[in-house]
Amino acid sequence: METIKGYVERIIFRNNENGYTVLDLETDKDDVICVGIFDRVNEGSYLELKGEFTVHKTHGEQFKVSSFSVTVPENEEAIKRYLGSGAIKGIGEKLAERIVKKFGKDTFRIIDEEPHRLAEIKGISDRKANEIASQIEEEKDMRQAMLYLQDLGVSASLSIKIYNTYKQRVYTVLKTNPYQLATDITGVGFKMADEIAAKAGISPFSEHRIKCALLYVLLRMSGAGNVYVPKDELIKNAKDLLSCDESMIEEAITSLAFEKQIIIKAEGEQVYYANYYYTELKIARLLSELNLKEKQNDEEIIKSVKLVERKIQIELDELQRHAVCEAVKSGLLIITGGPGTGKTTTINTIIKYFELQGMKIALAAPTGRAAKRMSEATGKEAKTIHRLLEVNGEFDSSKESAYFERNVDNPLEEDVIIIDEMSMVDIFLMKALLQAVIPGTRLILVGDVDQLPSVGAGCVLKDIIDSKAFNVVKLTKIFRQAGESEIVVNAHKINRGERVKLRPDSKDFIYIKREEANAVLNAMLTLIKEKLPSYVNADMFDIQILTPMKRGALGVESINEVMQNYLNPKEFGKKEIEREGTVFREGDKVMHIKNNYQLEWECRGKYGIPYDSGIGVFNGETGIIRKIDEYLRELEVEFDENKFVKYPFALLEELELAYAITVHKSQGSEYPAVILPMLMGPKMLMNRNILYTAITRAKSCVCVVGSDDIFNLMVANVNETKRYSGLKDRIIEIESIGKEGL
């Protein structure tokens, strides 16, 4: 470990999110490029740095900083340089010179102990003198707090977040209730708060600790899609974390309910994190308000629908025609059905009907890929729901949702809104959508209820249908052209639990028998590199491997490592960076795995000229790493439709390799070809629902590689992972209240 001292000559780069900084330090001997986590270090600051010299292959020698301290400049020239650097708001070079000329080496003592004397300087009022003193005091306070936090084992980047959240309250929070960090600061969970609390001397039986653990369990289980947790399950999970008496946990649950941080329903058996309960309740109320019926002549509607059919040269079946008629008469309509049952044709007819009525129509879907598919199928512009609602880049962590410009105060202006791929919509996005739709607008929700539920919390589409409170049309007929596809036919067989005959000579549902993981991997590589691109007329990166699981020999992590090595191998001149065991390399296929409402993007045309820009990158978007800039410490990803996003290295946790992805992550997407590795995995994931969803992601070809016995086991296994959701109950409650009110 070496120590160097000097002045900050220039800030070359700073990431304001985590304090990562590249700076030029002027020492007695030479200028040194330093890299590390700094905060509120400005040009002109005098630093003492500890770390080690390293040689960067692109940028040469650098000093990698492990810790630093800011010291008060000791000579007049240094003091003048610091004050005039811009570190103190309102002081420039000339004013700094006048201050030092007046007070000399005593300048900082004067500012600290007699700040009113700064007003003796021409150009400094009493008010400005106090502001200058306050800024310098805050700098000192921040440095002391950072040292205190790091003594508790908190990293420099997290210390910055904590100090910026609490300022001088940081000592009170850490000494009385460090568990508040888990509530207030993104990236701090119960376990991290628990470690800090232990070092701060907090009792393991503290009520704050037990409450924090309960809230942590609720939020952790919401990450698996649950909206509430059965009380017994909550207590069991909390006991595993805490090792304390059940009576203490019961008391904490009662206390949290009294504080309205949690809501308890179903005679004490269902425990909700409060915001999740109120979100479901709000959805139920808004759906009920939209569920208006228009009294219209059915014969006249049918006549108009048939006219539209002739106009666009199609013939609907009875159920499709019924769906169009219900769309005309209903404020709220749900259309569901499997692949090949004519959902797109029905939507197109509805669109044409309302267009002929002169109505304004909006089309949307949860993801960019789903919106693109909807546009291609309808010939009309379709947006993501986030873009339809005009996401503005802010995020309300207390409500687990984004801020949208379109809301209850600024609703959508369209007469008809059609949302596709509704199975993907979670409770928070659903609430945001409904708040922007005023009663009288027709809202048509379309989706396959047999698909996997949303990645986020809730079972919105299923609960709405199961409530039996709203108009639902289920399309069941498989049309002739779709019936020629074995993908469609087999998807419906799987959904009904019927046996599928797997064979290697199918034109679009190919089975390749393999019994071992390495053999499966080799077969998948051959398919991607040699066989499928020309067969389905697509780039090899457009072909998607889907697997139920993350870990194991045929889980996402292992497959991605193998595919990266063979499809995008390490090469001289190809830049890469390693983060937490994952190598990201230029040319890699990656997926964004967390909604980020602040990330900026731009669409580029020919010669790289931007033609559109915006904010927000969302869970499930896939792209290719085009550039890694080690000097700026960022990489650039090109997503669909020429959308480019720059990721600071600090945000690489929001990316993962995507040669293989979980079936859950594939929702709303369609790929030219899908490859399904098929050997045994965790039983709860090897089920019919997951297999059905995976198969329906393929447009032209499904390749099953592995064991037909495991395939048949998945078809037979109807034990889906249980998801706790209460929207159905909330709808029934609201509807019963409405009927009683009548």
Side-chain angles (χ1 to χ4, degrees):
M1 186 81 70
E2 296 185 58
T3 301
I4 60 173
K5 298 179 181 180
Y7 299 99
V8 179
E9 176 69 26
R10 182 166 61 101
I11 301 288
I12 298 169
F13 169 78
R14 171 173 285 157
N15 182 326
N16 291 320
E17 286 286 317
N18 61 10
Y20 180 84
T21 304
V22 180
L23 57 82
D24 184 356
L25 191 79
E26 183 184 323
T27 69
D28 292 339
K29 297 178 181 179
D30 206 350
D31 283 4
V32 178
I33 299 298
C34 301
V35 297
I37 303 294
F38 301 86
D39 191 46
R40 301 197 183 188
V41 167
N42 297 283
E43 292 175 356
S45 295
Y46 189 76
L47 306 180
E48 181 176 310
L49 308 173
K50 291 184 179 180
E52 57 184 2
F53 282 97
T54 60
V55 178
H56 191 280
K57 62 183 179 182
T58 304
H59 306 298
E61 188 176 64
Q62 298 177 339
F63 190 74
K64 190 174 181 181
V65 179
S66 57
S67 65
F68 76 97
S69 60
V70 181
T71 60
V72 175
E74 295 168 354
N75 59 59
E76 291 182 15
E77 183 59 35
I79 295 169
K80 183 168 64 177
R81 185 173 183 173
Y82 173 73
L83 292 176
S85 68
I88 307 301
K89 188 179 177 183
I91 300 182
E93 289 182 18
K94 290 184 178 178
L95 188 52
E97 193 171 339
R98 291 204 296 273
I99 293 170
V100 177
K101 188 175 182 182
K102 172 76 174 174
F103 300 117
K105 292 182 179 179
D106 215 21
T107 295
F108 278 104
R109 188 196 65 77
I110 294 291
I111 292 172
D112 193 33
E113 298 176 11
E114 304 174 76
H116 60 276
R117 290 192 58 193
L118 288 172
E120 297 173 15
I121 309 294
K122 185 181 177 183
I124 299 182
S125 64
D126 289 338
R127 181 180 172 184
K128 190 168 187 176
N130 287 327
E131 286 176 355
I132 291 168
S134 294
Q135 286 184 66
I136 290 178
E137 184 65 25
E138 188 178 351
E139 293 281 328
K140 187 168 70 176
D141 290 343
M142 184 274 295
R143 288 193 290 272
Q144 289 172 345
M146 293 283 284
L147 289 171
Y148 175 71
L149 286 162
Q150 287 172 49
D151 283 344
L152 292 175
V154 181
S155 69
S157 58
L158 184 56
S159 294
I160 292 166
K161 275 187 181 181
I162 293 171
Y163 180 79
N164 287 337
T165 301
Y166 300 119
K167 303 296 183 187
Q168 278 304 297
R169 290 196 307 116
V170 68
Y171 303 103
T172 304
V173 170
L174 291 172
K175 287 173 183 176
T176 59
N177 180 18
Y179 296 98
Q180 192 174 332
L181 299 176
T183 303
D184 296 342
I185 297 172
T186 303
V188 178
F190 169 77
K191 291 182 179 178
M192 186 180 292
D194 207 30
E195 288 174 9
I196 295 169
K199 289 176 182 174
I202 302 296
S203 166
F205 302 110
S206 157
E207 184 186 18
H208 293 307
R209 180 173 187 253
I210 298 170
K211 286 180 177 178
C212 184
L214 287 164
L215 295 175
Y216 167 74
V217 170
L218 286 172
L219 288 175
R220 185 183 66 188
M221 292 192 69
S222 76
N226 299 294
V227 182
Y228 70 83
V229 178
K231 187 178 176 182
D232 289 347
E233 203 168 322
L234 175 63
I235 291 172
K236 180 182 179 301
N237 278 274
K239 276 182 73 175
D240 291 343
L241 280 175
L242 297 166
S243 301
C244 68
D245 290 341
E246 191 169 312
S247 61
M248 297 175 76
I249 297 173
E250 290 271 13
E251 285 175 17
I253 290 173
T254 302
S255 180
L256 285 169
F258 182 76
E259 294 165 5
K260 294 187 166 47
Q261 291 195 63
I262 63 173
I263 304 293
I264 301 175
K265 297 292 290 182
E267 298 180 349
E269 292 308 310
Q270 298 175 357
V271 183
Y272 283 83
Y273 196 80
N275 182 47
Y276 286 63
Y277 171 76
Y278 290 118
T279 297
E280 281 195 335
L281 189 62
K282 185 74 171 178
I283 291 170
R285 284 177 177 159
L286 292 171
L287 286 169
S288 184
E289 289 172 9
L290 289 173
N291 192 29
L292 305 175
K293 306 287 186 184
E294 282 194 17
K295 291 184 179 179
Q296 294 193 36
N297 186 298
D298 287 354
E299 290 182 6
E300 288 298 320
I301 295 173
I302 291 171
K303 191 184 296 182
S304 298
V305 171
K306 288 182 176 178
L307 184 65
V308 171
E309 290 179 47
R310 288 196 295 273
K311 205 171 190 68
I312 60 178
Q313 298 182 327
I314 60 158
E315 185 175 351
L316 302 178
D317 79 343
E318 188 178 334
L319 274 175
Q320 289 175 306
R321 196 171 291 137
H322 175 60
V324 179
C325 292
E326 290 304 315
V328 174
K329 295 188 294 181
S330 307
L332 177 65
L333 174 67
I334 298 91
I335 300 173
T336 186
T341 56
K343 293 192 298 292
T344 299
T345 302
T346 305
I347 292 171
N348 282 332
T349 310
I350 290 170
I351 291 169
K352 192 64 181 177
Y353 184 99
F354 287 126
E355 279 181 342
L356 292 173
Q357 301 293 317
M359 291 186 175
K360 192 176 178 184
I361 304 166
L363 308 179
T367 66
R369 281 187 174 234
K372 184 180 178 183
R373 286 176 58 201
M374 196 179 190
S375 292
E376 291 168 350
T378 62
K380 309 289 181 184
E381 182 190 16
K383 300 176 180 179
T384 62
I385 299 173
H386 288 89
R387 207 158 186 202
L388 177 72
L389 298 178
E390 299 173 20
V391 65
N392 70 5
E394 296 181 49
F395 179 73
D396 183 349
S397 59
S398 68
K399 296 181 180 177
E400 297 287 317
S401 59
Y403 286 104
F404 296 99
E405 297 296 338
R406 293 292 181 175
N407 49 47
V408 66
D409 298 317
N410 182 29
L412 294 164
E413 297 169 0
E414 285 78 8
D415 303 300
V416 181
I417 298 168
I418 304 175
I419 309 294
D420 199 10
E421 294 287 357
M422 266 300 301
S423 61
M424 296 181 65
V425 176
D426 65 25
I427 58 172
F428 296 106
L429 187 56
M430 188 63 179
K431 186 182 85 166
L433 172 67
L434 294 176
Q435 285 179 319
V437 181
I438 57 174
T441 304
R442 287 175 172 83
L443 179 63
I444 300 165
L445 309 176
V446 185
D448 184 348
V449 74
D450 295 315
Q451 298 278 358
L452 286 170
S454 57
V455 174
C459 296
V460 173
L461 180 63
K462 185 176 187 300
D463 280 357
I464 291 173
I465 292 172
D466 288 349
S467 73
K468 296 183 168 54
F470 309 112
N471 239 351
V472 177
V473 178
K474 182 166 186 177
L475 304 176
T476 54
K477 179 181 176 182
I478 301 175
F479 287 86
R480 184 182 59 81
Q481 190 173 355
E484 294 172 359
S485 162
E486 286 194 51
I487 297 173
V488 172
V489 171
N490 288 342
H492 283 276
K493 281 185 176 181
I494 290 165
N495 206 26
R496 295 191 297 265
E498 297 174 7
R499 195 175 183 86
V500 172
K501 185 178 180 182
L502 296 174
R503 52 195 182 90
D505 59 344
S506 168
K507 63 177 173 50
D508 63 1
F509 204 96
I510 301 163
Y511 173 56
I512 300 170
K513 189 177 182 66
R514 296 290 186 272
E515 298 293 347
E516 296 179 352
N518 283 339
V520 172
L521 288 167
N522 287 331
M524 292 195 299
L525 271 169
T526 302
L527 286 168
I528 290 175
K529 290 183 74 173
E530 300 172 20
K531 304 294 184 182
L532 285 176
S534 59
Y535 188 66
V536 296
N537 192 28
D539 185 271
M540 70 175 183
F541 277 11
D542 291 328
I543 295 160
Q544 189 61 58
I545 298 171
L546 299 181
T547 177
M549 55 222 164
K550 284 191 172 184
R551 295 178 180 84
L554 292 179
V556 164
E557 294 171 1
S558 297
I559 296 174
N560 274 324
E561 190 175 339
V562 172
M563 294 298 151
Q564 182 189 51
N565 288 339
Y566 285 94
L567 302 181
N568 186 35
K570 187 181 182 74
E571 291 176 7
F572 179 77
K574 189 185 285 186
K575 293 179 183 174
E576 61 181 52
I577 179 170
E578 188 265 336
R579 275 295 180 275
E580 296 184 5
T582 298
V583 173
F584 293 100
R585 185 175 295 143
E586 288 176 338
D588 272 337
K589 182 179 179 180
V590 291
M591 172 177 279
H592 186 92
I593 59 168
K594 177 184 177 183
N595 287 343
N596 186 320
Y597 302 98
Q598 284 82 37
L599 263 182
E600 298 178 357
W601 53 264
E602 66 178 22
C603 291
R604 300 176 192 163
K606 201 173 181 183
Y607 310 116
I609 298 171
Y611 62 85
D612 193 12
S613 63
I615 49 175
V617 183
F618 304 109
N619 193 351
E621 294 194 49
T622 56
I624 305 294
I625 297 175
R626 295 301 184 197
K627 181 181 178 183
I628 295 176
D629 191 320
E630 292 165 321
Y631 187 65
L632 294 179
R633 297 187 66 79
E634 65 183 21
L635 60 77
E636 186 172 71
V637 177
E638 181 182 3
F639 291 103
D640 290 339
E641 299 178 315
N642 308 310
K643 177 175 159 182
F644 288 82
V645 179
K646 291 180 179 177
Y647 287 81
F649 285 176
L651 287 182
L652 291 185
E653 63 187 24
E654 297 187 7
L655 288 175
E656 61 183 30
L657 295 176
Y659 301 97
I661 62 175
T662 62
V663 178
H664 257 109
K665 292 285 187 183
S666 73
Q667 288 173 273
S669 297
E670 185 178 72
Y671 309 99
V674 162
I675 301 174
L676 305 179
M678 194 61 59
L679 292 181
M680 194 58 194
K683 191 171 181 181
M684 64 180 182
L685 295 175
M686 309 301 288
N687 64 55
R688 183 187 301 174
N689 194 213
I690 284 178
L691 181 60
Y692 173 78
T693 301
I695 285 166
T696 55
R697 298 306 90 203
K699 184 178 182 180
S700 301
C701 185
V702 169
C703 290
V704 177
V705 184
S707 164
D708 53 347
D709 289 338
I710 300 301
F711 184 95
N712 292 328
L713 182 149
M714 289 187 76
V715 174
N717 182 12
V718 294
N719 296 318
E720 301 167 29
T721 304
K722 175 66 177 172
R723 177 172 286 203
Y724 301 115
S725 169
L727 179 58
K728 172 187 168 183
D729 295 335
R730 303 292 83 76
I731 291 170
I732 292 170
E733 286 171 11
I734 293 293
E735 288 296 305
S736 64
I737 291 168
K739 287 173 183 174
E740 286 171 13
L742 295 175

